[in-house]
Amino acid sequence: MSFFDVLIENGKKDGIVKNVVGGIIVNKNNEFLLMTRKQDDFLGGIDEIPGGNIEENETMGEALFREIKEETNLDVERILNYINSFDYESRSGKKAREYNFSVKVKSIDNIKLSEHDSYKWQSIKEIRKNPKITDEVKYTLEIYYFNFIESKI
C-alpha cells in the first residue's frame, strides 16, 4: 500500500467522500503561486493554490500532476513533500479533504489559467495579510514556510 493509499484509507475512516489535491509552487524569491477563483464559481474570489478533485481510478499523484497542468499549464517534474491536509464541505455538501504537497515544476515561465481569473506570486508576509486566502490554506503555507524556508535562513 502506497503512502497515497494510506491517506485515502484514513480519510475514508473519517467519513471523507471527496478527495482533492493541492500543489504548493514556490519561485526563486520564496513567493507562493496563488490563483484567484472566478467570481461566479464556488468560493468565488478567494486566492488558492492550484489543485482539484482526484478522479475515479486516478492516483493522488496523477491527480496532482493533471490538475496543476490543467489549471496553470505548468508541468510538474516531481512531488517534493507532503505538507498537510484539511477538511471542508464541498459545494454539493460532501465531506471533502484536500491533501497538500509541495511540487517542483519544470518552469514557471508559461502560466496560462483555465479556471481562475488571475494569479500572483506572494511572500509569506503578504499571505498573512491577504484576506482572500482561507485560514486552512494560510496554515498550509505557513507549515511549508516554517519547514522549508525559515529553517534555512
Side-chain angles (χ1 to χ4, degrees):
M1 182 179 286
S2 75
F3 178 66
F4 295 147
D5 295 332
V6 170
L7 291 173
I8 296 293
E9 286 303 312
N10 285 338
K12 285 180 185 175
K13 292 175 189 171
D14 294 338
I16 298 300
V17 194
K18 183 176 178 178
N19 294 290
V20 178
V21 290
I24 297 171
I25 300 170
V26 180
N27 67 18
K28 65 182 179 183
N29 299 320
N30 292 326
E31 296 168 319
F32 296 90
L33 176 62
L34 296 171
M35 304 177 318
T36 303
R37 290 182 73 93
K38 291 182 178 178
Q39 285 297 329
D40 61 351
D41 199 0
F42 177 64
L43 299 174
I46 69 162
D47 291 338
E48 63 183 2
I49 59 177
N53 296 326
I54 301 173
E55 295 178 358
E56 195 169 332
N57 298 320
E58 183 177 49
T59 69
M60 199 176 282
E62 291 167 342
L64 190 58
F65 278 61
R66 177 186 52 77
E67 283 290 347
I68 289 174
K69 180 67 174 179
E70 285 177 5
E71 291 191 354
T72 67
N73 193 45
L74 300 178
D75 293 305
V76 174
E77 196 171 291
R78 69 181 190 274
I79 298 170
L80 299 173
N81 301 94
Y82 171 69
I83 305 303
N84 75 339
S85 65
F86 59 80
D87 298 349
Y88 64 96
E89 188 174 307
S90 72
R91 176 191 331 212
S92 60
K94 294 179 181 171
K95 191 171 180 184
R97 179 167 291 167
E98 179 171 317
Y99 303 91
N100 298 295
F101 299 85
S102 60
V103 298
K104 178 175 177 30
V105 294
K106 293 179 182 173
S107 171
I108 59 170
D109 295 333
N110 197 23
I111 296 174
K112 293 180 185 162
L113 302 180
S114 63
E115 301 176 19
H116 295 81
D117 281 337
S118 61
Y119 74 90
K120 62 182 134 285
W121 294 96
Q122 286 195 327
S123 69
I124 196 68
K125 288 180 181 178
E126 292 168 314
I127 287 166
R128 289 172 181 152
K129 296 176 186 174
N130 185 339
K132 294 180 6 175
I133 303 174
T134 65
D135 289 342
E136 293 82 5
V137 171
K138 282 183 181 180
Y139 181 67
T140 299
L141 297 176
E142 288 282 2
I143 291 170
Y144 177 89
Y145 182 79
F146 176 79
N147 285 305
F148 301 102
I149 297 174
E150 188 175 68
S151 63
K152 295 179 181 181
I153 297 174

